Amino acid sequence: MTIEETATAIKDMSIRGAGKIARACASALYELAESYDGDDPEEFMEMLEDAKNDLIASRPTAVSLYNGVMYSLKGIGKWMDVEEMRREVMNNADEFIKDSIQAVKTIGELGAEIVDDGDVIMTHCNSSAALSVIKEAHAQGKNIKVYATETRPWRQGLITVRQLAEAGVDVTLIVDSAVRLVMEDVDKVFVGADTITAQGTLFNKVGTSQLALAANELDVPFYVCTESYKFSPMSLNSDNVRIEVRETAEIVKEGEVPKEVKIYNPVFDRTPAKFIDTIITEKGGISPYKARDFIIEQFGIKEEVH
Ligand code: RI2
């Protein structure tokens, strides 16, 4: 897919999921580098810069997209000729995609160790990382039952129940407002992530924080399943992540409510570290309070010594 097609597909959510949108961006940059038929390094760099800006602007909340783009473009510079830049971008993008797919698999294996035979699990939205844990636990023969929330307004929960049913998992769909009631029967919660900040704050599909609140009140462990490229290096200095607000047509049809009614459709929310038991990454489980150290190590950031 071209850069423009990819940005459009991410914007209209025909490509969705924080991991998938990051891989889609890397794949589009791979194709751009592969297909460039000029011999002007400056022109090539400008094209890559424009592509970076278009892709990053397509969805603001998931830092995975930004990290996937920056990883694909790392190491290129004015001192390179076209062939060197082309090779660098294609190798980086290919590596990001392969590592990202492997990371989801590894998270499934590590997270499944936490799942006990007989567990009742709740999950929210449609997270390939969280479902990797659930499907792996099931594949290991653990007898589990899953409650999946519908996840208004886009209803990604219907994708989740289809995927789990296809895997043979015992899954029940519930409406989002049933979370607190059903949580009384739940042993563990597994959700995905769009962004984790240095403060251990989770930005994920709207409604996640309500699962965390209900789980915390009922002492149900709340686990976040996420690849390391969903941690935000920019958050070392500030916790603010832009929460995407999408069109009102996702909530009501034309004419369903009086025109003077305002409609607000934020599609992510924030869950503070205090409600998170463990963040399960492909590098192992970490406390949300270790997110800053994790980011510094993973992104090779040299913190100035005060
Ligand atoms: P994986 C999704 O956002 C959900 O918030 C999900 O938890 C998160 O991305 C991570 O998904 P959207 O794309 O990368 O549905 O684990 O808006 O698949």
Side-chain angles (χ1 to χ4, degrees), residues 12-168:
D12 69 23
M13 291 180 67
S14 40
I15 299 177
R16 53 147 300 278
K20 289 188 189 72
I21 64 176
R23 291 192 288 273
C25 289
S27 174
L29 287 166
Y30 181 101
E31 288 188 23
L32 176 67
E34 187 180 43
S35 62
Y36 176 66
D37 57 7
D39 58 1
D40 175 352
E42 241 178 76
E43 179 192 54
F44 192 19
M45 276 203 82
E46 267 169 40
M47 279 175 66
L48 292 171
E49 184 65 19
D50 291 347
K52 178 184 91 170
N53 296 331
D54 291 350
L55 292 171
I56 287 172
S58 58
R59 285 195 88 188
T61 307
V63 77
S64 54
L65 188 156
Y66 173 86
N67 286 339
V69 168
M70 298 311 282
Y71 190 94
S72 302
L73 300 178
K74 71 184 172 75
I76 59 170
K78 289 190 171 46
W79 61 90
M80 288 179 161
D81 65 28
V82 166
E83 284 319 309
E84 286 167 330
M85 271 194 263
R86 186 198 314 275
R87 202 169 34 253
E88 191 72 15
V89 173
M90 289 173 71
N91 289 344
N92 292 342
D94 187 48
E95 190 175 72
F96 177 83
I97 293 166
K98 287 196 174 88
D99 289 354
S100 162
I101 291 166
Q102 181 54 50
V104 174
K105 190 172 175 305
T106 304
I107 289 164
E109 291 156 1
L110 295 176
E113 290 173 21
I114 299 174
V115 178
D116 295 316
D117 190 41
D119 269 352
V120 175
I121 290 167
M122 185 180 287
T123 191
H124 185 58
C125 195
N126 177 243
S127 158
S128 51
L131 294 196
S132 180
V133 170
I134 292 169
K135 289 192 278 188
E136 175 60 25
H138 173 75
Q140 291 176 4
K142 292 177 180 174
N143 173 28
I144 57 175
K145 181 177 167 53
V146 178
Y147 286 102
T149 58
E150 177 191 16
T151 315
R152 288 271 300 148
W154 217 81
R155 310 182 78 203
Q156 289 93 329
L158 274 61
I159 305 170
T160 291
V161 295
R162 271 200 298 275
Q163 291 174 341
L164 290 182
E166 277 162 19

